Amino acid sequence: MGQAAPAAQVAPAAGRAAPAAVPAQAPPPGAIPVGCGNAPPDLAAAIAAAPPNATVTVCPGTYPGGITLTKPITLLGARVGVDARTGRTDLRAESVVDGRGGSGFTVAAGVSNVRIDGFTISNPTQSTATTGGVLAVGRGSGITITNNVVTRFSFGVNMNSNGQIASSVTRNRFAENNGAGGQAGVFLSSGPANNLTISDNLFSGHDGNAAAAVNTAGDPANPSTGLRIERNQSIDDATFAVVTNADGTVVANNQVVRRPTATTAVGTGILVGGATRNVAITGNVLTGGAKNGISVGQAFSAVKNTGLLVGTNTVVGRLNGIRFEDQTSGTIRGNTVAQGTGTGILLEGANSGVTVTGNRSFQNAVSDCSDQSRGSGTAGTWTGNLGLRSTPPGLCRLF
């Protein structure tokens, strides 16, 4: 069979060590082989014939996608256990699932306990249809998607979870998932994504005005709970994370880089778009980009954000480093914002009850600290901030 085109390779950003190589794991005893020696090469048929909770191990080769998983099952590609964030460009060593203009794997409604580990899932013949590398929007749980290269779909992964069993998307490389109706590495839709961790992935090249590495769109009537987005790296994506319809979500310790050579569209690094409760945006590092670093507003819902913390982030070389608009609460604390082409920390619109404390803001072209809020705005809400230029004066001080 013909081999699929290799996925785009992106080097780790400067200052960040490459993830350690993990040796491939031996297939477990009793696994059903596909494409190994004399084993039949029909992956779809092997999955259909496998009993529930079976393990299917898939040898290197290229296999048609469009496969629906109707039972709990473990699928182990040739690169099972091998971190997908670096290397993994020799398709002769990969189990390639080719979407052929459609999707890769689809998890049927209500199915739980599915593991997909060690594949390249690609779509070199991307069509105008909406597609996904892995589609799992049937409100199951216990979905594990790990160590996969996923590229050129509308959504790398589109999923939700009822949260009964923990689900995870980890150590994958998502590249250029920009097909019709999508433009996301991981998209959470058609219900909440409860008890889900999206961590230690590499995202790159998700472009377009609506594109994001991670989009938590979810269900406005049923916010996601137990959602964590941690330790991911985003290189030249339009937006790293869109956060909305979320309760208690953590977005922490991610690295977001826009290189000077990037030609893709650019949006806000992390966008909080309304209808969130008790969300914490902490410890992230955002470098470069022509739009805001962290922006909080009501772009996707009129329901006000409550209990929001934006804390201990570092934002360098964006437009406005941290921007709040039309909020009735929220805390901006302990951040470092520098070298923006606009304002370091900016409040505008009808803000009230927002506290800004203990931040460092410097070398921003327009202002380091600015409160343009209508209403109560500045009164008593800015304390202990370091910066040179403030509008009005006194929001940030040198000492």
mmCIF file of all heavy atoms in Angstrom, residues 349-369:
data_model
loop_
_atom_site.group_PDB
_atom_site.id
_atom_site.type_symbol
_atom_site.label_atom_id
_atom_site.label_comp_id
_atom_site.label_asym_id
_atom_site.label_seq_id
_atom_site.Cartn_x
_atom_site.Cartn_y
_atom_site.Cartn_z
ATOM 1 N N GLY A 349 -14.013 48.669 29.050
ATOM 2 C CA GLY A 349 -15.417 48.295 29.066
ATOM 3 C C GLY A 349 -16.022 48.540 30.426
ATOM 4 O O GLY A 349 -15.531 49.340 31.218
ATOM 5 N N ALA A 350 -17.079 47.817 30.749
ATOM 6 C CA ALA A 350 -17.823 48.033 31.995
ATOM 7 C C ALA A 350 -17.351 47.060 33.062
ATOM 8 O O ALA A 350 -18.083 46.163 33.485
ATOM 9 C CB ALA A 350 -19.314 47.870 31.743
ATOM 10 N N ASN A 351 -16.102 47.203 33.501
ATOM 11 C CA ASN A 351 -15.567 46.337 34.541
ATOM 12 C C ASN A 351 -15.933 46.845 35.925
ATOM 13 O O ASN A 351 -16.010 48.045 36.174
ATOM 14 C CB ASN A 351 -14.041 46.271 34.439
ATOM 15 C CG ASN A 351 -13.575 45.537 33.209
ATOM 16 O OD1 ASN A 351 -13.816 44.351 33.054
ATOM 17 N ND2 ASN A 351 -12.904 46.256 32.313
ATOM 18 N N SER A 352 -16.119 45.899 36.838
ATOM 19 C CA SER A 352 -16.258 46.214 38.256
ATOM 20 C C SER A 352 -15.842 44.967 39.030
ATOM 21 O O SER A 352 -16.023 43.847 38.557
ATOM 22 C CB SER A 352 -17.702 46.607 38.604
ATOM 23 O OG SER A 352 -18.582 45.532 38.346
ATOM 24 N N GLY A 353 -15.264 45.161 40.202
ATOM 25 C CA GLY A 353 -14.904 44.020 41.029
ATOM 26 C C GLY A 353 -13.708 43.233 40.549
ATOM 27 O O GLY A 353 -13.465 42.126 41.040
ATOM 28 N N VAL A 354 -12.932 43.751 39.608
ATOM 29 C CA VAL A 354 -11.707 43.091 39.162
ATOM 30 C C VAL A 354 -10.548 43.593 40.014
ATOM 31 O O VAL A 354 -10.357 44.804 40.147
ATOM 32 C CB VAL A 354 -11.436 43.375 37.667
ATOM 33 C CG1 VAL A 354 -10.122 42.732 37.231
ATOM 34 C CG2 VAL A 354 -12.588 42.861 36.802
ATOM 35 N N THR A 355 -9.759 42.684 40.591
ATOM 36 C CA THR A 355 -8.608 43.082 41.385
ATOM 37 C C THR A 355 -7.331 42.779 40.616
ATOM 38 O O THR A 355 -7.189 41.723 39.994
ATOM 39 C CB THR A 355 -8.582 42.354 42.741
ATOM 40 O OG1 THR A 355 -8.492 40.943 42.525
ATOM 41 C CG2 THR A 355 -9.838 42.671 43.537
ATOM 42 N N VAL A 356 -6.400 43.719 40.681
ATOM 43 C CA VAL A 356 -5.129 43.624 39.964
ATOM 44 C C VAL A 356 -4.036 43.852 40.996
ATOM 45 O O VAL A 356 -3.859 44.971 41.500
ATOM 46 C CB VAL A 356 -5.044 44.678 38.839
ATOM 47 C CG1 VAL A 356 -3.792 44.445 37.989
ATOM 48 C CG2 VAL A 356 -6.293 44.650 37.963
ATOM 49 N N THR A 357 -3.274 42.795 41.310
ATOM 50 C CA THR A 357 -2.362 42.920 42.438
ATOM 51 C C THR A 357 -1.069 42.141 42.212
ATOM 52 O O THR A 357 -1.075 41.026 41.676
ATOM 53 C CB THR A 357 -3.046 42.418 43.737
ATOM 54 O OG1 THR A 357 -2.171 42.587 44.840
ATOM 55 C CG2 THR A 357 -3.448 40.963 43.638
ATOM 56 N N GLY A 358 0.039 42.766 42.597
ATOM 57 C CA GLY A 358 1.319 42.088 42.612
ATOM 58 C C GLY A 358 1.867 41.708 41.256
ATOM 59 O O GLY A 358 2.653 40.756 41.147
ATOM 60 N N ASN A 359 1.515 42.455 40.216
ATOM 61 C CA ASN A 359 2.007 42.166 38.874
ATOM 62 C C ASN A 359 3.217 43.032 38.530
ATOM 63 O O ASN A 359 3.415 44.104 39.108
ATOM 64 C CB ASN A 359 0.899 42.428 37.846
ATOM 65 C CG ASN A 359 -0.329 41.586 38.101
ATOM 66 O OD1 ASN A 359 -0.370 40.405 37.788
ATOM 67 N ND2 ASN A 359 -1.352 42.209 38.697
ATOM 68 N N ARG A 360 4.012 42.581 37.553
ATOM 69 C CA ARG A 360 5.128 43.352 37.016
ATOM 70 C C ARG A 360 4.861 43.594 35.540
ATOM 71 O O ARG A 360 4.666 42.639 34.774
ATOM 72 C CB ARG A 360 6.442 42.595 37.197
ATOM 73 C CG ARG A 360 6.813 42.334 38.635
ATOM 74 C CD ARG A 360 8.022 41.408 38.750
ATOM 75 N NE ARG A 360 9.230 42.063 38.228
ATOM 76 C CZ ARG A 360 9.882 41.657 37.150
ATOM 77 N NH1 ARG A 360 9.440 40.627 36.435
ATOM 78 N NH2 ARG A 360 10.998 42.286 36.770
ATOM 79 N N SER A 361 4.857 44.857 35.128
ATOM 80 C CA SER A 361 4.560 45.205 33.739
ATOM 81 C C SER A 361 5.561 46.275 33.296
ATOM 82 O O SER A 361 5.647 47.339 33.906
ATOM 83 C CB SER A 361 3.124 45.723 33.617
ATOM 84 O OG SER A 361 2.791 45.985 32.267
ATOM 85 N N PHE A 362 6.317 45.970 32.224
ATOM 86 C CA PHE A 362 7.363 46.928 31.845
ATOM 87 C C PHE A 362 7.683 46.832 30.359
ATOM 88 O O PHE A 362 7.412 45.836 29.689
ATOM 89 C CB PHE A 362 8.626 46.694 32.673
ATOM 90 C CG PHE A 362 9.179 45.293 32.610
ATOM 91 C CD1 PHE A 362 10.129 44.941 31.665
ATOM 92 C CD2 PHE A 362 8.752 44.324 33.509
ATOM 93 C CE1 PHE A 362 10.647 43.661 31.609
ATOM 94 C CE2 PHE A 362 9.265 43.030 33.453
ATOM 95 C CZ PHE A 362 10.218 42.691 32.498
ATOM 96 N N GLN A 363 8.215 47.933 29.837
ATOM 97 C CA GLN A 363 8.657 48.071 28.445
ATOM 98 C C GLN A 363 7.533 47.767 27.447
ATOM 99 O O GLN A 363 7.764 47.187 26.388
ATOM 100 C CB GLN A 363 9.867 47.158 28.173
ATOM 101 C CG GLN A 363 11.087 47.541 28.979
ATOM 102 C CD GLN A 363 12.285 46.657 28.698
ATOM 103 O OE1 GLN A 363 12.199 45.663 27.984
ATOM 104 N NE2 GLN A 363 13.423 47.017 29.283
ATOM 105 N N ASN A 364 6.314 48.179 27.784
ATOM 106 C CA ASN A 364 5.199 48.064 26.857
ATOM 107 C C ASN A 364 5.021 49.398 26.132
ATOM 108 O O ASN A 364 5.120 50.469 26.748
ATOM 109 C CB ASN A 364 3.932 47.670 27.604
ATOM 110 C CG ASN A 364 4.080 46.302 28.260
ATOM 111 O OD1 ASN A 364 4.055 45.282 27.588
ATOM 112 N ND2 ASN A 364 4.250 46.290 29.578
ATOM 113 N N ALA A 365 4.766 49.355 24.838
ATOM 114 C CA ALA A 365 4.884 50.541 23.993
ATOM 115 C C ALA A 365 3.894 51.644 24.349
ATOM 116 O O ALA A 365 4.235 52.828 24.306
ATOM 117 C CB ALA A 365 4.721 50.149 22.524
ATOM 118 N N VAL A 366 2.649 51.304 24.690
ATOM 119 C CA VAL A 366 1.625 52.318 24.947
ATOM 120 C C VAL A 366 1.546 52.651 26.426
ATOM 121 O O VAL A 366 1.603 53.815 26.829
ATOM 122 C CB VAL A 366 0.259 51.851 24.412
ATOM 123 C CG1 VAL A 366 -0.844 52.849 24.786
ATOM 124 C CG2 VAL A 366 0.310 51.650 22.905
ATOM 125 N N SER A 367 1.411 51.637 27.249
ATOM 126 C CA SER A 367 1.308 51.842 28.695
ATOM 127 C C SER A 367 1.581 50.514 29.377
ATOM 128 O O SER A 367 1.325 49.441 28.809
ATOM 129 C CB SER A 367 -0.090 52.349 29.061
ATOM 130 O OG SER A 367 -0.217 52.539 30.457
ATOM 131 N N ASP A 368 2.092 50.579 30.588
ATOM 132 C CA ASP A 368 2.294 49.345 31.338
ATOM 133 C C ASP A 368 1.017 48.903 32.042
ATOM 134 O O ASP A 368 0.735 47.705 32.133
ATOM 135 C CB ASP A 368 3.420 49.526 32.357
ATOM 136 C CG ASP A 368 4.769 49.725 31.681
ATOM 137 O OD1 ASP A 368 5.030 49.036 30.677
ATOM 138 O OD2 ASP A 368 5.553 50.569 32.150
ATOM 139 N N CYS A 369 0.260 49.861 32.569
ATOM 140 C CA CYS A 369 -0.977 49.566 33.287
ATOM 141 C C CYS A 369 -2.021 50.590 32.877
ATOM 142 O O CYS A 369 -1.760 51.789 32.952
ATOM 143 C CB CYS A 369 -0.765 49.632 34.801
ATOM 144 S SG CYS A 369 0.536 48.538 35.404
#
